[in-house]
Amino acid sequence: MKYIKYEIKENGIALVTISRAQVLNVLNEEVLDELDDVFYKIASSGLRVAILTGEGKKAFAAGADIRGMLSFSREQSLAFSQKGNAVFRRIEQLDVPVIAAIHGFALGGGCELALCCDIRLAAQNAVFAQPETSLGIIPGYGGTQRLTRIVGVGNAKEMVYTGRKVDAAEAKEMGLVNHVYSSEELMPQALGLARKIAQNAPIAVRAAKEAIVCGLDMDITDGISLEAQLFSTCFETADQQNAMSAFIHKKECPVFQNK
């Protein structure tokens, strides 16, 4: 791939890096295509966790390619929005957790890319914004929807209407990111979190993600029903039997076999 680096780390952990540091990892159609390809591969790989980051220290992703969008017609802009939304929805609905390791700018489409990940970790130099209204448009990759669900209606409206930048500390305060670290600590902390997730039962983690992500699109009654169904499927697994038996008999938890 030209713009995406894809590595397999230990314990079933994938590292996906947007590699356009010279232009602050801006998202264009080729980047979207390659992100779609790599997360399609991860979905059928048996991996347990993915980490998504941007190359360099200046940006996670500084937005979509404005030069490329300048001459878009309404039809072209609709297709571009739908394409990005399809890729981001694939990431959001991936059957394994995705951790965003964010440093520097996460603006516009870059902020929206972070929003579709399960857990967001930020370096102290991270900056978030949805500045689209200052360019005469609105967020087009799910920003009006995911940001509202994550930080609340008031915070989302203020960010979208004003386009103002939010630093890492404020992002943590409003729930936009889970944790803030120094730039040097960011990737080790992301890998440490990935290892904690990877050591748990993969089938259970996948079921938990499905319950949370799909449940957000349901009312509470349907969400609880989905949770019950997914809870029950875990009892058909050897991992559940082995782990519960070890717990009861005060033995060391076995290594989960994903079956």
Side-chain angles (χ1 to χ4, degrees):
M1 290 177 285
K2 183 178 180 182
Y3 295 125
I4 301 295
K5 293 180 179 177
Y6 177 46
E7 306 171 57
I8 306 297
K9 311 299 273 189
E10 80 283 3
N11 300 324
I13 300 168
L15 176 60
V16 179
T17 306
I18 303 170
S19 182
R20 299 190 76 199
Q22 71 281 8
V23 291
L24 301 180
N25 300 317
V26 162
L27 307 174
N28 60 15
E29 294 207 39
E30 290 176 280
V31 174
L32 292 175
D33 285 339
E34 292 185 12
L35 279 172
D36 197 43
D37 287 344
V38 77
F39 280 101
Y40 178 81
K41 291 175 183 176
I42 291 172
S44 58
S45 65
L47 292 166
R48 300 188 178 190
V49 190
I51 299 171
L52 175 62
T53 193
E55 190 174 64
K57 299 296 183 184
K58 294 183 178 179
F60 173 73
D65 185 0
I66 296 173
R67 290 182 182 276
M69 291 190 289
L70 180 61
S71 60
F72 274 1
S73 65
R74 179 173 181 174
E75 291 74 19
Q76 288 172 313
S77 63
L78 176 60
F80 190 58
S81 176
Q82 290 173 332
K83 181 174 191 172
N85 275 313
V87 176
F88 289 11
R89 193 66 168 155
R90 181 189 294 283
I91 296 170
E92 185 172 51
Q93 294 184 316
L94 190 73
D95 63 355
V96 301
V98 181
I99 300 166
I102 305 154
H103 45 74
F105 296 118
L107 310 178
C111 185
E112 290 168 301
L113 178 58
L115 291 172
C116 74
C117 298
D118 294 277
I119 299 170
R120 286 162 293 281
L121 308 182
Q124 290 168 342
N125 72 337
V127 178
F128 302 85
Q130 297 290 167
E132 287 85 354
T133 55
S134 69
L135 298 171
I137 59 175
I138 68 170
Y141 289 164
T144 61
Q145 304 305 305
R146 293 190 183 94
L147 186 64
T148 303
R149 286 164 168 79
I150 291 168
V151 304
V153 175
N155 284 326
K157 285 180 175 179
E158 182 179 351
M159 285 183 67
V160 172
Y161 296 172
T162 67
R164 75 178 183 88
K165 294 182 175 66
V166 172
D167 65 19
E170 186 177 359
K172 172 68 167 61
E173 182 180 354
M174 68 170 59
L176 180 52
V177 301
N178 296 69
H179 304 284
V180 177
Y181 302 107
S182 69
S183 294
E184 294 73 25
E185 291 180 307
L186 179 63
M187 192 52 64
Q189 290 289 345
L191 284 166
L193 178 59
R195 291 185 189 108
K196 289 179 182 178
I197 295 170
Q199 74 184 10
N200 287 330
I203 294 171
V205 172
R206 291 196 296 270
K209 176 167 180 175
E210 182 178 350
I212 293 169
V213 173
C214 294
L216 285 170
D217 294 328
M218 301 176 176
D219 63 33
I220 187 67
T221 300
D222 290 339
I224 288 171
S225 178
L226 173 64
E227 178 186 88
Q229 291 299 320
L230 291 166
F231 171 78
S232 68
T233 63
C234 295
F235 285 80
E236 299 176 328
T237 67
D239 282 344
Q240 172 265 329
Q241 289 290 321
N242 293 336
M244 284 192 173
S245 178
F247 178 84
I248 290 170
H249 294 97
K250 302 187 186 309
K251 296 181 179 179
E252 185 176 349
C253 186
V255 175
F256 291 111
Q257 300 299 313
N258 195 22
K259 60 183 180 180

